[in-house]
Amino acid sequence: MSWLEPEPFLRGTAWLDDGRPVRADPADLERLPWDIAERAALPIGVRVEFSAAPGTRAVELRYRAALPATGDALRSLRHCFALWRGAHCVAEVFAEPADESVVRIELPPEGGEFTVHLPEGQAPVVRGLRPVDGHLSPAPRRPRWLVHGDSITEGWWSTRPAHAWPATAGRALGLDPVNLGYAGGARGELPLAEHLARLPGSLITLAFGTNCWAAVPSSAPLLYETTRAFVTLVRRGHPDTPLLLLSPVLRPAAEHTGNALGATLAELRTAMEEAVQGLVAAGDARLALLPGGPLLAPEDLADGLHPNDRGHARIAEAVADALRAAGFVDRPVSRGA
């Protein structure tokens, strides 16, 4: 069978740049810091979702990937294609990174709806897919959930892309998470708020702030105003879209240590939370706050900053509960056993 065009099967996509999924508006990159633009070129969180007819033996994915350079710290990461059905991982297939290759993933004989989580280390881009002895069709579309944040949102230190908290919460809620996490970034860059304003979505979550402690230090008054400005700009394109802000999660070394401007992470977290509370009091009824400080314990962190798999699972559960409590989402949508 000839190759099927991938676009109808791709989920978690924000923008396409000549067919390649990217995570910032390609027409507006010049206003972004170089590190954000670099991270935005990686298709973090992009997935292939399809329905397979009973008897379909396998799916083949044709893809291109960047080969890791000698000495690359991520070179040893296993090139894993993970097949999920609903909340369960059905299979994992490992391949050697290649400029261009085809991977075959065996399917259960009964068919159903499936998600393939792509490896992220070499940023593969799917160029086509096809069934083996059967039929594939694009999976039904789900509500798009725009999730903006930093390396924690991007999924750092989760052992698989499917374990990052946006992916886990998305499965629980029956949503299509669009991962707009930028490692080292998400410092309240206002052009990114305008990107979010232009990007269609049914639900938005903002989860930034920890990089405002050290990467680009902020004071509490500055972050208070930045948070208000960020939400205000997002609201220009999404005046009524449900929006949840998750303030920074635990970072033990920063909680009570002043940054270059004298602000502790606890003070920065309070400033963000007070900004949200003020906007709600001013009439934004579709804005909710999830305080991040109490969500994790030190043992939920892999390196004192990024959550391990258990930490990601705890964030996912808290975010899902907060979205339900605010009335922003319904109960989970079943996607198979």
Side-chain angles (χ1 to χ4, degrees):
M1 182 177 178
S2 60
W3 292 102
L4 301 171
E5 288 295 323
E7 186 172 344
F9 296 86
L10 296 180
R11 302 294 183 269
T13 57
W15 292 268
L16 293 176
D17 186 12
D18 194 25
R20 180 184 180 89
V22 294
R23 300 183 302 124
D25 187 346
D28 190 25
L29 296 180
E30 68 277 0
R31 293 196 297 149
L32 299 180
W34 71 267
D35 57 342
I36 298 285
E38 186 176 77
R39 297 305 299 179
L42 301 178
I44 304 295
V46 174
R47 312 171 304 283
V48 176
E49 298 194 353
F50 59 89
S51 298
T56 305
R57 292 174 53 198
V59 59
E60 292 184 336
L61 303 180
R62 180 167 57 89
Y63 68 95
R64 300 187 67 181
L67 287 175
T70 302
D72 188 331
L74 300 179
R75 187 180 182 89
S76 61
L77 288 180
R78 302 189 74 186
H79 206 53
C80 174
F81 294 80
L83 180 72
W84 284 67
R85 179 166 56 188
H88 304 285
C89 182
V90 178
E92 292 185 333
V93 175
F94 298 93
E96 289 297 322
D99 285 323
E100 189 158 349
S101 187
V102 174
V103 64
R104 174 174 169 142
I105 305 171
E106 302 293 328
L107 300 177
E110 66 272 19
E113 290 183 21
F114 298 95
T115 297
V116 176
H117 288 269
L118 308 172
E120 293 178 348
Q122 283 75 46
V125 175
V126 177
R127 312 299 290 182
L129 70 162
R130 65 186 178 189
V132 176
D133 296 338
H135 177 75
L136 302 178
S137 59
R141 295 279 181 180
R142 293 174 287 151
R144 291 178 88 223
W145 176 27
L146 310 180
V147 189
H148 169 74
D150 48 37
S151 57
I152 296 172
T153 296
E154 206 179 67
W156 278 41
W157 286 105
S158 62
T159 56
R160 295 286 189 272
H163 296 165
W165 73 259
T168 301
R171 284 192 298 273
L173 296 170
L175 300 173
D176 174 14
V178 178
N179 192 313
L180 301 172
Y182 311 100
R187 303 171 294 251
E189 297 87 355
L190 297 184
L192 287 176
E194 294 181 310
H195 287 202
L196 281 166
R198 296 194 291 268
L199 192 61
S202 301
L203 177 68
I204 300 170
T205 294
L206 308 178
F208 66 94
T210 195
N211 286 331
C212 298
W213 177 72
V216 176
S218 178
S219 66
L222 176 57
L223 189 54
Y224 174 90
E225 295 297 343
T226 297
T227 303
R228 289 179 61 92
F230 200 99
V231 173
T232 298
L233 287 174
V234 171
R235 281 286 184 236
R236 294 183 68 183
H238 294 278
D240 301 310
T241 303
L243 194 159
L244 174 73
L245 186 138
L246 167 62
S247 62
V249 297
L250 177 70
R251 184 174 180 177
E255 292 295 327
H256 305 294
T257 302
N259 63 10
L261 296 177
T264 68
L265 184 61
E267 292 168 339
L268 295 176
R269 183 184 297 116
T270 297
M272 293 187 72
E273 293 171 359
E274 289 179 349
V276 173
Q277 292 162 351
L279 290 168
V280 172
D284 192 337
R286 303 290 279 170
L287 175 63
L289 170 68
L290 174 58
L295 298 187
L296 302 181
E299 58 267 26
D300 298 319
L301 302 174
D303 60 352
L305 169 59
H306 300 97
N308 52 30
D309 279 348
R310 183 174 63 179
H312 276 282
R314 292 187 67 177
I315 297 173
E317 182 179 13
V319 168
D321 287 346
L323 290 171
R324 293 190 190 105
F328 291 170
V329 294
D330 297 323
R331 288 293 158 182
V333 176
S334 175
R335 300 191 65 238

